Amino acid sequence: MDPLFEQVISYALLPTIALTGGGLLALFIRFGVQARSAILHFAAGVVFSVVAVEILPDVVRLHDPWLTALGFGAGIGLMLLIRQLTEAPAETLPITEMTTAPAGRFPLAFLLAIGVDIFIDGLLLGVGFAAGAKEGVLLAFALGVEVLSLGLATATSLTNDGVARSRIIRLLLGLSVLFFVSAVGGATLLHNLPEAGLDIVLSFGLAALLFLVTEELLVEAHEGPEKPWLTATFFAGFLLFLILGIVA
């Protein structure tokens, strides 16, 4: 087996286990409103840091505004279309549904945004190992922290929305498999992708991740009472990944 594949497979297991483990922890430990808000704030900070530290510099380096606009426009357009198709307008709902929480609501837009994040993270890890072993190892630990918080946030949000525990477990396993497959793919296909294709892929992911932070994670994080220390967890998540990115 190629040494690159051995490294990718070995270290891709770390974020994969962290993602599943974080989600299972949130399933079996009931977090309060403030704890849930802190998890979501922290996850949002980490994802935003991934955008700033890992993705945005590469997009700027590729230096093609037309391809960047194409990929970014496609990403935000898809996320807005998904939201439009999956959320019923308030005026079409009965009064009883408008005044009560939608029990059992399945947040498809949220899950697709998480899925895009996980997919991009896997690609970044694969490309990191293709660039060098040291970069790949440090990125694996950094992404492990990110997906751990995302696993906690995802399971917590789905539980709050009334999704069945068995279904949440299946979704977590599916996201973990997605990360692993995209990491292997990133080490092979994306590493040899022309710069034009790479620019479009990264710009698409950039838009999707910004949508995830601003329209999903932070919106849900602000549903409860706001306290200064909760807001601080966003910046703690950002700073943690920023430091890990500097070390790498």
Side-chain angles (χ1 to χ4, degrees):
M1 181 180 291
D2 192 315
L4 174 62
F5 276 104
E6 291 182 355
Q7 289 180 321
V8 171
I9 290 173
S10 299
Y11 284 96
L13 288 174
L14 173 63
T16 301
I17 294 171
L19 173 61
T20 306
L24 292 177
L25 179 65
L27 283 180
F28 294 100
I29 298 179
R30 188 67 177 177
F31 291 99
V33 175
Q34 291 191 355
R36 176 174 177 271
S37 179
I39 291 169
L40 291 167
H41 272 98
F42 185 84
V46 173
V47 174
F48 197 73
S49 188
V50 170
V51 170
V53 176
E54 296 294 338
I55 299 180
L56 192 56
D58 285 338
V59 172
V60 173
R61 177 183 58 80
L62 292 170
H63 203 65
D64 192 322
W66 292 108
L67 292 178
T68 298
L70 176 63
F72 192 92
I76 197 63
L78 178 61
M79 299 313 300
L80 291 173
L81 177 62
I82 291 169
R83 166 166 288 186
Q84 180 69 24
L85 295 175
T86 56
E87 292 186 0
E91 59 268 19
T92 66
L93 296 175
I95 294 177
T96 54
E97 292 187 32
M98 293 173 63
T99 55
T100 59
R105 177 177 65 90
F106 190 73
L108 181 59
F110 173 77
L111 282 175
L112 286 175
I114 292 286
V116 170
D117 184 9
I118 295 298
F119 182 74
I120 294 296
D121 286 345
L123 292 179
L124 287 173
L125 179 60
V127 172
F129 271 105
K134 179 183 176 182
E135 290 82 355
V137 171
L138 290 173
L139 191 57
F141 282 100
L143 291 176
V145 174
E146 181 203 352
V147 297
L148 174 65
S149 61
L150 280 180
L152 286 166
T154 301
T156 302
S157 295
L158 292 177
T159 300
N160 188 66
D161 289 330
V163 180
R165 180 177 292 181
S166 59
R167 193 175 190 184
I168 296 175
I169 293 175
R170 291 196 299 271
L171 289 169
L172 288 170
L173 291 175
L175 290 173
S176 299
V177 171
L178 176 63
F179 179 90
F180 190 82
V181 171
S182 64
V184 176
T188 54
L189 302 177
L190 193 58
H191 181 58
N192 299 316
L193 195 68
E195 285 196 346
L198 182 61
D199 196 344
I200 293 174
V201 170
L202 291 179
S203 299
F204 181 93
L206 175 65
L209 296 186
L210 289 175
F211 185 93
L212 171 64
V213 171
T214 59
E215 296 298 316
E216 299 292 345
L217 292 174
L218 289 179
V219 169
E220 292 204 23
H222 291 157
E223 289 179 355
E226 283 295 305
K227 293 190 177 181
W229 74 269
L230 292 175
T231 303
T233 58
F234 171 88
F235 297 97
F238 185 95
L239 179 61
L240 175 62
F241 197 94
L242 175 61
I243 291 174
L244 290 173
I246 292 173
V247 172

